């Protein structure tokens, strides 16, 4: 009962913050009991279950995260951007879990081969992000 209540309170807090206009950025709060490390889609699903739209969740993981981290070369599709793109088999509006089933991935404008589906695209990207954060020491001093 306590764990369920903690998740309900966290979801309510997320909605209050989003409604107040606080920037919501994708992350992983594994220590707080409602997501698992290296399973980023679970975190996006939790955000969606909490009441955020799929669009808000995706922005939190892309342009919102890039903006908060001061990464002006990524997070959106526009000329001069890194062109990190992932195609999924269906509309993420129907099932945000489709992010776990990429058809193809483009990183920095170069399409990766089909091995990415077998080796865990999101897991690999998440792991690289965690390692980059650890190397940086603190946010704002990215060495990657």
């Amino acid at each position: 009962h306590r764990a369920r209540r903690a998740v309900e309170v966290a979801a309510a807090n997320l909605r209050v913050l989003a409604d107040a206009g606080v920037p919501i950025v994708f992350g992983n709060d594994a220590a707080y009991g409602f997501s698992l490390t290296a399973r980023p889609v679970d975190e996006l699903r939790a955000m969606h279950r909490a009441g955020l739209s799929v669009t808000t969740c995706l922005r939190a993981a892309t342009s919102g995260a890039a903006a908060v981290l001061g990464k002006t070369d990524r997070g959106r599709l526009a000329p001069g951007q890194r062109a990190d793109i992932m195609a999924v088999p269906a509309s993420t509006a129907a099932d945000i879990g489709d992010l776990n089933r990429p058809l193809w991935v483009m990183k920095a404008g170069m399409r990766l081969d089909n091995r990415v589906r077998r080796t865990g695209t999101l897991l690999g990207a998440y792991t690289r992000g965690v390692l980059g954060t650890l190397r940086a020491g603190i946010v704002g001093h990215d060495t990657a």
Side-chain angles (χ1 to χ4, degrees), residues 58-69:
L58 293 174
R59 282 191 183 130
T62 57
S63 58
V68 167
L69 294 172

Side-chain angles (χ1 to χ4, degrees), residues 91-102:
S91 169
T92 54
D95 181 6
I96 203 162
D98 282 337
L99 294 173
N100 272 334
R101 296 179 289 282

Side-chain angles (χ1 to χ4, degrees), residues 102-105 111-121:
L103 297 172
W104 55 264
V105 174
R111 187 169 168 172
L112 304 177
D113 66 26
N114 286 336
R115 288 179 296 165
V116 296
R117 284 194 284 177
R118 292 190 303 271
T119 58
T121 303

